[in-house]
Amino acid sequence: DAKTTQPPSMDCAEGRAANLPCNHSTISGNEYVYWYRQIHSQGPQYIIHGLKNNETNEMASLIITEDRKSSTLILPHATLRDTAVYYCIVSYGGSQGNLIFGKGTKLSVKP
Amino acid sequence: DAGVIQSPRHEVTEMGQEVTLRCKPISGHDYLFWYRQTMMRGLELLIYFNNNVPIDDSGMPEDRFSAKMPNASFSTLKIQPSEPRDSAVYFCASSTIWTLTDTQYFGPGTRLTVL
């Protein structure tokens, strides 16, 4: 079973920031938080990951709370092409084979 | 970089027929994963290989499913005989341990329909 809890769906206006929450209250000290997304009819795509510190890359920012029990993925300026299912996953870094995809959050970006 | 390549992209077959799905991982990656995605069960890991050796096949549904990786650049997932409940999208993914992360790169998938 997935170790994370995400809202099933969210809407966001085009050009606005999309903030996708994830709860992972049972995360252990050396588990990472990963975010993937799946655009309709495509394979999942890696977005970002983090351990304790906030992370930012060209796609998104990841904010992890100090107690690490929750995190938020931020898409700073959502576009229509960001409409997808977003998966939050916790896993040991480099463990391989341990990505358990839950149901994710269906993000709909609207014009 | 061409990314992970899967073939065919679509497969329609009749119950009882043998189905073979193919995957070419990203060059230099030492891990290869096979996933299945359905509306009911979501995305499930079936099996994964490290350096062409199967590591965990606990997700393979039953003996009708088999997977091989004869070399670092090719893997197959075979279903024999196929059944309608095998209809799903099958994804192949690859990764490398050298990143010390779980960053997997997925292929476009094969949509299988068993009539």
Side-chain angles (χ1 to χ4, degrees):
Chain A
D1 292 337
K3 302 178 186 178
T4 62
T5 303
Q6 299 177 253
S9 64
M10 293 181 63
D11 289 342
C12 178
E14 187 178 21
R16 304 296 293 270
N19 298 291
L20 291 90
C22 179
N23 286 323
H24 31 79
S25 58
T26 61
I27 191 170
S28 64
N30 51 357
E31 282 186 309
Y32 287 75
V33 179
Y34 290 83
W35 284 84
Y36 283 72
R37 74 178 181 183
Q38 187 173 22
I39 296 170
H40 182 62
S41 297
Q42 297 183 22
Q45 176 190 25
Y46 166 81
I47 301 173
I48 198 169
H49 75 281
L51 183 62
K52 296 181 181 178
N53 299 323
N54 298 337
E55 302 288 344
T56 295
N57 63 19
E58 65 278 5
M59 290 182 68
S61 295
L62 174 60
I63 308 298
I64 303 175
T65 59
E66 192 169 345
D67 62 8
R68 302 207 327 120
K69 293 185 176 182
S70 65
S71 60
T72 300
L73 179 74
I74 301 173
L75 308 178
H77 305 287
T79 71
L80 299 179
R81 289 178 295 180
D82 292 321
T83 293
V85 177
Y86 288 76
Y87 298 97
C88 171
I89 303 166
V90 296
S91 180
Y92 295 102
S95 61
Q96 309 294 336
N98 280 327
L99 289 184
I100 300 176
F101 289 81
K103 296 187 181 299
T105 295
K106 169 67 172 165
L107 176 69
S108 298
V109 181
K110 301 182 183 299
Chain B
D1 194 338
V4 175
I5 299 172
Q6 292 187 245
S7 65
R9 295 292 309 278
H10 302 274
E11 177 80 34
V12 180
T13 189
E14 293 188 346
M15 182 174 63
Q17 295 298 306
E18 178 179 295
V19 175
T20 299
L21 311 181
R22 298 172 175 82
C23 175
K24 176 179 169 57
I26 293 173
S27 177
H29 281 191
D30 43 4
Y31 281 82
L32 184 139
F33 306 83
W34 282 101
Y35 290 86
R36 178 174 68 175
Q37 187 171 37
T38 62
M39 288 293 293
M40 290 294 294
R41 300 177 66 87
L43 194 62
E44 303 173 283
L45 177 65
L46 299 178
I47 184 172
Y48 76 96
F49 296 81
N50 176 220
N51 292 323
N52 313 335
V53 176
I55 302 300
D56 185 354
D57 66 354
S58 59
M60 296 285 262
E62 49 196 276
D63 292 346
R64 298 184 297 106
F65 286 69
S66 62
K68 295 182 179 180
M69 193 166 185
N71 57 62
S73 59
F74 183 66
S75 177
T76 60
L77 178 68
K78 185 175 295 185
I79 308 173
Q80 166 64 18
S82 58
E83 297 183 2
R85 59 189 168 128
D86 301 329
S87 297
V89 181
Y90 291 81
F91 290 103
C92 176
S94 70
S95 69
T96 175
I97 192 66
W98 299 110
T99 65
L100 297 179
T101 71
D102 283 319
T103 304
Q104 296 183 15
Y105 297 86
F106 284 75
T110 295
R111 182 174 295 277
L112 173 65
T113 302
V114 183
L115 303 174

